[in-house]
Amino acid sequence: MNEEILTPVLDILDIAGIAVFALSGAVIAAKERQTFVTMAFFALVTGVGGGTVRDLLIEAPVFWIADPWVAGVCLTTALIAWFTPTRIWEGKLLDLADGVGLTAYAVLGAAKAMAYGIPPIPAALMGIITGCVGGIIRDTVAGRPTIIMQPELYVTAAALSAAMTVAGMLTAPLVGLPDAAVWGIAFVAGFALRAAAVKWEISLPSYRDDEIASPNQNGTE
């Protein structure tokens, strides 16, 4: 991580995002009755996928190459999944945990992009990419439909956290609000939206292209 944004708040969000995404990858491999090597691979690519794409796009050093703790967290998480029954992670618990990773990474990605001088709108997009790409890679490799192909609020939660991070960092100096508070508020807001979507199955309206039957099709003149 760039030393310019190295703070306890972002450190916590970073580790939380990595660990939770790594867990979701390892659990999916476990449900497919795969070996530990496969589970560790899924944990790693899910945990670092979004951040890797972000760092390549903003021309930053890829964060997990220089930080040995990242791979360690992913492997430890894979071990946890290996020694626990998959039923523990069934239902909405894993979805909520994934929401923690999603919004934590969205905040982290947007904040890091801003620290590297990326303009506000692309910086917010970097937050969304950081939060979503790891899960997309996980689902694609596993041959599962990705969550972004569902109307359920997912990318929207990442977008909320990323947008609030960028907006907050731009306006914080004017109102005297510390960046740490901005990041915390952005994370809570995004996670609250994702948790509400999981609990009450809130979704965006899907595109519809229903054809209006013509009079002839209805058998009338």
Side-chain angles (χ1 to χ4, degrees):
M1 184 186 299
N2 188 346
E3 292 182 357
E4 295 177 28
I5 62 167
L6 188 60
T7 70
V9 173
L10 288 184
D11 283 348
I12 292 171
L13 293 177
D14 193 11
I15 295 301
I18 292 169
V20 172
F21 275 141
L23 177 64
S24 70
V27 168
I28 285 176
K31 290 180 178 180
E32 297 294 328
R33 306 298 182 189
Q34 298 298 321
T35 66
F36 176 75
V37 172
T38 302
M39 290 175 63
F41 173 79
F42 267 74
L44 182 63
V45 298
T46 308
V48 306
T52 300
V53 173
R54 173 205 63 219
D55 287 347
L56 292 173
L57 289 174
I58 68 175
E59 299 182 347
V62 177
F63 73 105
W64 62 278
I65 299 298
D67 187 352
W69 287 102
V70 174
V73 168
C74 292
L75 293 177
T76 300
T77 306
L79 278 172
I80 293 172
W82 177 260
F83 287 109
T84 55
T86 57
R87 66 175 179 273
I88 293 178
W89 313 109
E90 296 288 348
K92 296 181 178 180
L93 176 60
L94 190 60
D95 289 335
L96 289 173
D98 186 76
V100 171
L102 171 74
T103 50
Y105 253 22
V107 172
L108 176 67
K112 184 170 184 176
M114 291 286 286
Y116 272 84
I118 305 300
I121 293 178
L125 294 176
M126 288 303 102
I128 297 171
I129 287 172
T130 307
C132 297
V133 167
I136 294 172
I137 294 173
R138 173 199 64 205
D139 294 339
T140 300
V141 174
R144 305 169 69 245
T146 66
I147 186 64
I148 65 168
M149 297 302 293
Q150 307 297 326
E152 183 179 336
L153 295 181
Y154 188 82
V155 178
T156 307
L160 176 62
S161 287
M164 289 184 66
T165 298
V166 171
M169 291 179 69
L170 289 174
T171 59
L174 302 177
V175 298
L177 189 67
D179 282 343
V182 170
W183 299 328
I185 293 169
F187 166 74
V188 170
F191 178 71
L193 179 61
R194 178 61 185 145
V198 170
K199 181 175 178 60
W200 292 295
E201 299 182 353
I202 303 171
S203 61
L204 294 174
S206 300
Y207 172 75
R208 297 183 64 182
D209 191 19
D210 297 336
E211 294 184 359
I212 299 175
S214 66
N216 289 336
Q217 289 176 315
N218 289 331
T220 60
E221 295 289 331

